[in-house]
Amino acid sequence: MTRPTRLARYGFADNGARATDLLGPEGLRLWDTEAQGPADEAAAGLIDALSKAADPNLALRQLHRLVDAAGRAAERANGNRPAPGGPLVVNAATDELLGALHTDHGLRRRLVAVLGASSTLGDHLVANPDEWQTLATSKSGMPPDAEGRLAVEEERDEPLTVPELRRAYRISLLRIAAADLTGGRGLEPTMAALSRLADETLAAAYAMAVAGLPAATPEPRLAVVAMGKCGGNELNYVSDVDVIFVAAGDDDLSAGTTVAARLIEICGQVAWPVDAALRPEGSRGPLVRTLASHQAYYRRWARTWEFQALLKARPAAGDLALAHEWIADLAPLVWHAAERPEAVADVRDMRRKIIDNVPPKELDREIKRGPGGLRDIEFAVQLLQLVHGRVDETLRAPGTLPALRALVAGGYVGRQDGETLLRGYRFLRGVEHRLQLQHLKRTHTVPDDPDGVRWLAAALGYTAMPGRDAVEAFRSDWVGHAANVRRLHVKLLYQPLLEAVARVPAEELRMTPESARKRLEILGFEDPAGALRHLEALTGGVTRTAAIQRTLLPMLLQDFSDSPEPDRGLLNYRHVSDKLGSTPWYLRLLRDGGPVARRLARVLSLSRYATDLLTRDPEALRLLADDSELRPRPRESLLDGFAAAGDRHPDPVKATAAVRALRRRELFRLACADILRHGGDLAPDRPLDINEIGVALSDVTDATLGAALRIARRAKPAPDGLRFAVIGMGRLGGYEMSYPSDADVLFVYEPQGGSDSSASSAALAIAEELRRLLQAPAPDPALGVDADLRPEGRQGPLVRSLQAYQQYYARWSKVWESQALLRARFICGDASLGTDFEKLADEVRYPSGGLTREQVIEIRRIKARVETERMPRGADPNTHTKLGRGGLADVEWAVQLLQLRYAHEHPDLRRTSTLEALDAELTAGLVEQADAEAMTTGWTLAAEVRNALTLVRGRPTDQLPRHGAELAGTVLLLGGGDPGEFVDRYLRLTRRSRAAMERVLDA
């Protein structure tokens, strides 16, 4: 093994050749070139330490330079003038340094870590070769102070000079960096130490500036307020220090401005630029303002971002009492800023602008301003502080991490989300610190060259692992943290709950009994005392659950108050919370699940139907979190899912319970989609219309009947080869089911070979079992299965063979039965038998030659009799959605009459859906455009009102009330407005629909 190769194993570049020169007899005398190894045990320890530095080669070069500089400085002190360049100067000073590195292991770790991580701090040590001693372990065995205290004498009569302050600052910075790089200080203590060092530097510069005032000038009352990262006690190594200067009064302005300007000049020469651009009017405004001037500006002109900046305001130097007074004076304005209508949007827009201003080529490497960077965390935390900190003073911490912990403790951010953001912040700030330490330059961009990334990974402590090198490990962690930070930034910054809470005044967020009672009265609760008891039950105690409820309820109360019965909304919310409050996901979903909380409030306050479904199945609440869940499931998916649920249990009762539970979940899904479709910002992306609701409800019914038929056939075994099918009629057949609709059906069977004497009784047993299973009392809603449209009605057999149907329709069928068959379609069972029945139905419902005049008259007569006999006693025929004037039945009879008369000539009329058939009749020229539009509008409105009434009342009704809470709720579900005007509109549109129907029937 060659000499260079041996050293290369320690991580030195150039195959170790350069390292041999620096470590060998002509250099540091740590490497024995003859023995090809460390000169002794102490040398081995130092070489090993150098090999573990972020950049072993840099550390070695800098150490060699430092030792040489120490030797040359000693020679000069002794009156000698060593020649420039040449071999390493060796004397007592170099022996002292190397000896200290051999004996003081703490010094060795700290010095080597600094030399290998920061070329600039290394250069500083070379230029000041005696300062390495500031890193030596003290006699007490303690490491050097790294708390951010300026390295100056405790007692000093004269102000510091600029060179003295600069040296003191660099020594303190060196100590902080050494502790940071060797694990002696974590991220937060490091940021706090850097911030304290900034404070002490500002204070020293302030004293120097005041001392420079003319002798006759009195010292002004001037406060230096730290802002930004310094104000938040989270300063990094290289950053502008943001400040605002505040003078007590007008008499302090002139001298205060002189002091402020001189302070900025001194700090720029010593450490970093002082940036006062966050002051009112920015760089265009005066450098120093009085308390009164600040108050006037922030009260009248300040924008949201300026209040956001004030979250980090902290006294730093000068008149600290004045700084505290200034902060307290502006606090009420800060903690009401979120109530401005544009506040939340302003913060979001500002974050977008920051990203837009990042150069595109740097966007993916920016750990501060880019997506998934530090700004994402800071903006999310600050917006939550502005909104929730109005009443929760625990959130009023200037630092990002303390504020984030307070948000988690208060229940405003989930524990897991909070921990993910904490880890992301620590990682990103750690990367930022290492990048800035390298050259002590302000940077937030990960290098794009391989060597730079390799150095960064090493500086962060990454080492090669089996199957993955250090760079890959770093990149993997970086990508993971950035993705999580961006995801949670979007989740927190754009949650609708935030805007809703921000709209509630701070006074109303304070849920004290007295304020709550007053607010309940203002919001229109009829029983404030009862409502207050619900609030106390939900928010009492100091649990995390109670804390989250206290955040949610002020906003929910506002939404409940928008409904006709706010008391019912709150009561329903308590019932749901009582059932789900102990589950780990419930309140987390309401807080973090986008629009879930406000959607739930609308559902609970407007719909007894949906509330009843939810209380039976609280887990269904999750559907409100995702717009895609508020869409009907695909038909094939429904059919397969219901069939699978029924097949899981051999017991018919349990199997049916599983099917009915699935149906309940789907009814809740559709009811919520319906309730929210006119919910403004709560509406899903693609709201459902009444026709989509009808199709979806019909699909759910099809799937329910299909699964129930499979169960019934297992429970009631039939002769081999028995074919059985369920035919949909009425609204089910027309894909026009509403929430209260029963399933109108016919049962048809066919024995094997057409002549099985036991087939009839077996088919009857199957049909009766199907109806029993779906209509039996159970926790889940029953599905009525109505077979009254069968031949001979209730007096006729429940099931018939296909041949029996054929014989009946051929001999005994009446025109109303032909009309009923217009909406017949196969639902489930034997598909070929269903097709055969549809073909049979076609012969009856689309009679060749159409209708005779007598049949048309008969239909008109039946229509008139239905209006007279079936209208409920006391019902208002003008506002009855089903049988009333211009409602569902009127339009359906008109459309069906045209189908019976002309479908044999126009095959496009052969549709089971009312509106599809009406469109076809318009296209065929069988109805006027105006009449088609009037009937479409009347039918659609009546169908919407019928569904809305069921949703509001929780039970079926076809009667639109003329006044009251149910009318108001119905109107809200259908888009809002004045209830009286809605009734007038309903009467007007259905009157036009009625007139159009009469023209069709009389034609």
Side-chain angles (χ1 to χ4, degrees):
M1 181 179 289
T2 65
R3 206 171 46 180
T5 302
R6 180 77 179 274
L7 268 174
R9 295 176 61 185
Y10 286 92
F12 297 108
D14 300 328
N15 205 26
R18 176 60 174 157
T20 302
D21 294 336
L22 297 177
L23 290 168
E26 300 300 320
L28 296 172
R29 296 168 293 156
L30 299 174
W31 186 261
D32 187 334
T33 55
E34 296 298 327
Q36 300 181 15
D40 51 36
E41 185 177 345
L46 182 51
I47 293 172
D48 183 62
L50 289 166
S51 72
K52 294 176 180 177
D55 187 340
N57 301 285
L58 174 64
L60 176 55
R61 289 197 307 272
Q62 297 284 56
L63 178 60
H64 186 277
R65 292 177 63 213
L66 175 59
V67 171
D68 187 49
R72 291 175 183 273
E75 290 294 317
R76 287 192 294 270
N78 293 328
N80 301 322
R81 292 181 176 277
L88 181 76
V89 174
V90 178
N91 53 33
T94 60
D95 290 342
E96 180 188 7
L97 172 54
L98 289 172
L101 289 173
H102 293 325
T103 59
D104 186 344
H105 294 177
L107 168 65
R108 183 169 67 204
R109 285 196 311 273
R110 289 185 283 274
L111 182 59
V112 169
V114 169
L115 295 176
S118 176
S119 60
T120 304
L121 286 177
D123 292 343
H124 171 77
L125 285 168
V126 171
N128 302 273
D130 60 329
E131 288 188 9
W132 63 266
Q133 298 179 47
T134 66
L135 299 180
T137 306
S138 67
K139 292 181 180 180
S140 66
M142 298 297 291
D145 173 52
E147 298 296 334
R149 302 301 302 268
L150 266 178
V152 295
E153 301 170 11
E154 292 293 334
E155 298 294 335
R156 186 183 177 94
D157 295 332
E158 297 295 326
L160 292 169
T161 64
V162 169
E164 288 172 333
L165 181 56
R166 183 187 302 114
R167 181 176 183 274
Y169 175 82
R170 278 299 176 98
I171 290 175
S172 299
L173 186 66
L174 179 64
R175 289 172 172 173
I176 294 170
D180 179 18
L181 291 166
T182 56
R185 292 288 186 274
L187 174 68
E188 289 179 78
T190 298
M191 294 190 301
L194 289 166
S195 301
R196 181 173 182 176
L197 178 58
D199 286 358
E200 297 211 356
T201 304
L202 287 169
Y206 183 89
M208 294 164 64
V210 170
L213 287 172
T217 304
E219 179 179 345
R221 285 197 67 197
L222 179 70
V224 184
V225 181
M227 303 288 286
K229 289 188 290 293
C230 185
N233 284 307
E234 52 196 23
L235 199 62
N236 47 22
Y237 282 102
V238 185
S239 174
D240 293 352
V241 170
D242 297 307
V243 301
I244 289 179
F245 296 104
V246 184
D250 293 338
D251 293 342
D252 301 292
L253 282 176
S254 178
T257 301
T258 301
V259 170
R262 178 60 179 149
L263 179 148
I264 292 173
E265 180 185 358
I266 294 170
C267 288
Q269 295 171 347
V270 166
W272 17 249
V274 170
D275 189 345
L278 291 178
R279 67 185 185 268
E281 299 182 86
S283 57
R284 297 187 304 275
L287 182 61
V288 180
R289 283 179 184 258
T290 63
L291 273 174
S293 176
H294 276 107
Q295 175 71 221
Y297 175 84
Y298 281 104
R299 185 174 294 281
R300 188 172 183 185
W301 303 110
R303 289 171 290 176
T304 303
W305 71 264
E306 293 176 281
F307 291 112
Q308 185 182 351
L310 288 175
L311 290 172
K312 292 185 178 295
R314 178 180 60 79
D319 191 323
L320 300 182
L322 178 60
H324 281 292
E325 184 181 352
W326 179 81
I327 291 171
D329 194 41
L330 295 179
L333 299 179
V334 174
W335 299 114
H336 281 82
E339 295 171 12
R340 294 148 50 121
E342 72 281 3
V344 174
D346 282 349
V347 176
R348 293 169 177 168
D349 289 343
M350 180 62 71
R351 177 61 186 126
R352 283 192 292 267
K353 289 175 183 177
I354 290 173
I355 291 179
D356 292 342
N357 287 330
V358 178
K361 64 180 181 180
E362 297 179 4
L363 194 62
D364 293 338
R365 297 184 291 117
E366 249 278 359
I367 60 169
K368 178 181 177 181
R369 297 176 296 164
L374 290 163
R375 283 287 186 263
D376 272 356
I377 302 173
E378 292 165 352
F379 268 67
V381 168
Q382 289 163 18
L383 181 55
L384 290 170
Q385 283 182 280
L386 284 173
V387 172
H388 299 299
R390 292 176 292 160
V391 294
D392 189 344
E393 295 186 7
T394 65
L395 306 182
R396 300 180 182 182
T400 300
L401 293 184
L404 179 54
R405 291 192 186 97
L407 287 165
V408 172
Y412 306 99
V413 174
R415 290 189 182 94
Q416 184 174 349
D417 290 349
E419 184 57 37
T420 299
L421 288 175
L422 286 168
R423 288 197 300 268
Y425 187 89
R426 293 191 190 103
F427 175 86
L428 294 168
R429 286 304 298 268
V431 173
E432 182 184 46
H433 280 188
R434 295 300 174 266
L435 287 171
Q436 293 184 346
L437 264 178
Q438 188 177 23
H439 301 296
L440 282 187
K441 290 184 178 180
R442 186 168 64 174
T443 180
H444 317 97
T445 307
V446 174
D448 55 358
D449 62 288
D451 289 341
V453 180
R454 194 176 302 112
W455 169 86
L456 178 59
L460 289 165
Y462 285 92
T463 56
M465 298 179 291
R468 186 169 67 170
D469 67 17
V471 171
E472 288 176 345
F474 161 68
R475 286 192 180 280
S476 176
D477 286 351
W478 177 25
V479 170
H481 282 298
N484 283 329
V485 166
R486 187 60 184 171
R487 172 179 60 83
L488 293 175
H489 166 82
V490 172
K491 175 180 177 179
L492 295 175
L493 201 72
Y494 290 90
Q495 56 178 317
L497 177 64
L498 210 56
E499 292 172 284
V501 174
R503 286 195 291 265
V504 180
E507 292 72 20
E508 298 180 8
L509 288 173
R510 294 183 175 88
M511 299 295 290
T512 63
E514 186 58 33
S515 64
R517 180 185 292 274
K518 289 181 179 178
R519 184 162 187 238
L520 291 168
E521 292 173 352
I522 293 171
L523 291 176
F525 282 78
E526 293 184 3
D527 181 12
L532 187 59
R533 287 193 294 273
H534 295 317
L535 294 181
E536 291 170 345
L538 289 165
T539 63
V542 294
T543 65
R544 184 178 176 82
T545 296
I548 297 175
Q549 290 283 22
R550 285 192 289 271
T551 302
L552 294 169
L553 276 163
M555 174 272 301
L556 293 175
L557 291 177
Q558 183 68 55
D559 283 353
F560 292 148
S561 73
D562 291 337
S563 71
E565 298 179 285
D567 299 78
R568 179 169 297 280
L570 178 57
L571 174 63
N572 290 338
Y573 179 73
R574 178 168 179 196
H575 287 163
V576 173
S577 294
D578 286 346
K579 287 197 172 187
L580 288 175
S582 60
T583 59
W585 58 266
Y586 169 59
L587 289 175
R588 183 170 67 241
L589 180 65
L590 294 188
R591 180 194 60 209
D592 301 338
V596 174
R598 297 194 60 219
R599 284 177 169 177
L600 176 63
R602 180 174 172 87
V603 168
L604 295 180
S605 59
L606 287 182
S607 175
R608 299 187 187 190
Y609 179 87
T611 298
D612 182 56
L613 293 173
L614 181 60
T615 54
R616 300 183 191 197
D617 179 20
E619 293 271 343
L621 175 65
R622 297 176 187 270
L623 298 178
L624 297 179
D626 189 346
D627 281 5
S628 65
E629 293 287 2
L630 296 175
R631 302 289 306 172
R633 288 175 59 192
R635 177 179 173 83
E636 291 305 317
S637 173
L638 276 177
L639 297 176
D640 293 344
F642 274 64
D647 290 346
R648 287 192 196 104
H649 301 281
D651 177 74
V653 174
K654 292 182 179 179
T656 306
V659 170
R660 288 174 65 167
L662 267 185
R663 177 172 177 265
R664 173 196 59 212
R665 176 66 63 91
E666 295 307 314
L667 290 177
F668 181 73
R669 182 197 310 278
L670 297 174
C672 289
D674 203 352
I675 294 163
L676 296 170
R677 68 190 177 109
H678 291 297
D681 58 341
L682 302 179
D685 288 338
R686 292 191 301 122
L688 303 179
D689 61 32
I690 187 63
N691 297 311
E692 291 174 300
I693 292 286
V695 171
L697 288 169
S698 301
D699 285 343
V700 170
T701 304
D702 286 3
T704 304
L705 290 169
L709 177 58
R710 293 165 67 96
I711 297 169
R713 293 207 65 159
R714 290 200 305 270
K716 301 295 181 181
D720 291 342
L722 177 70
R723 299 163 66 203
F724 188 97
V726 179
I727 307 299
M729 303 287 284
R731 302 201 174 283
L732 174 60
Y735 288 104
E736 298 163 352
M737 290 283 281
S738 59
Y739 299 108
S741 296
D742 288 340
D744 290 316
V745 299
L746 300 178
F747 298 112
V748 57
Y749 74 93
E750 190 69 12
Q752 187 178 28
S755 58
D756 187 344
S757 58
S758 61
S760 176
S761 59
L764 178 61
I766 292 170
E768 289 178 336
E769 180 70 359
L770 182 150
R771 297 177 75 187
R772 185 188 70 80
L773 291 172
L774 292 179
Q775 297 176 171
D780 296 312
L783 173 62
V785 181
D786 189 341
D788 287 355
L789 291 177
R790 65 186 183 269
E792 301 178 88
R794 295 181 181 177
Q795 280 68 48
L798 182 62
V799 297
R800 289 177 185 255
S801 68
L802 182 64
Q803 184 179 10
Y805 276 110
Q806 189 172 21
Q807 291 173 349
Y808 176 86
Y809 287 129
R811 298 182 61 185
W812 309 107
S813 176
K814 298 176 181 171
V815 69
W816 72 263
E817 291 176 297
S818 298
Q819 183 179 353
L821 286 172
L822 285 170
R823 294 201 279 192
R825 65 176 177 88
F826 167 69
I827 299 293
C828 58
D830 188 287
S832 62
L833 178 58
T835 301
D836 291 341
F837 185 91
E838 288 178 346
K839 290 178 181 177
L840 168 62
D842 287 350
E843 298 174 4
V844 181
R845 57 187 170 184
Y846 310 133
S848 58
L851 297 179
T852 65
R853 180 173 179 76
E854 289 73 18
Q855 288 176 315
V856 172
I857 293 173
E858 175 67 8
I859 287 176
R860 293 173 183 161
R861 186 186 63 78
I862 296 173
K863 171 74 170 64
R865 194 181 73 192
V866 166
E867 283 187 25
T868 303
E869 297 178 358
R870 295 193 181 179
M871 182 72 70
R873 184 185 299 274
D876 183 349
N878 294 305
T879 52
H880 196 276
T881 60
K882 183 177 180 180
L883 300 175
R885 293 165 189 167
L888 298 172
D890 271 1
V891 176
E892 290 161 5
W893 279 74
V895 170
Q896 290 163 13
L897 176 61
L898 292 176
Q899 286 180 288
L900 289 169
R901 295 180 70 180
Y902 301 108
H904 67 287
E905 295 178 8
H906 301 280
D908 255 5
L909 270 60
R910 300 178 184 183
R911 302 168 184 268
T912 62
S913 164
T914 300
L915 295 187
E916 288 181 3
L918 180 55
D919 284 343
E921 290 163 357
L922 174 63
T923 301
L926 301 175
V927 62
E928 297 292 331
Q929 176 83 33
D931 288 344
E933 290 177 357
M935 287 192 289
T936 297
T937 300
W939 188 94
T940 300
L941 181 58
E944 288 181 328
V945 169
R946 190 176 194 234
N947 271 353
L949 285 168
T950 301
L951 290 172
V952 169
R953 298 181 77 234
R955 57 185 187 276
T957 182
D958 294 305
Q959 184 66 61
L960 176 64
R962 293 295 187 105
H963 51 77
E966 289 180 0
L967 172 63
T970 299
V971 173
L972 275 175
L973 281 182
L974 297 178
D978 180 82
E981 292 179 1
F982 180 87
V983 173
D984 290 343
R985 175 172 171 267
Y986 181 90
L987 293 172
R988 182 173 66 255
L989 295 178
T990 53
R991 184 166 59 247
R992 294 174 184 171
S993 175
R994 174 74 173 195
M997 178 275 294
E998 289 175 341
R999 284 190 287 273
V1000 170
L1001 257 64
D1002 292 341

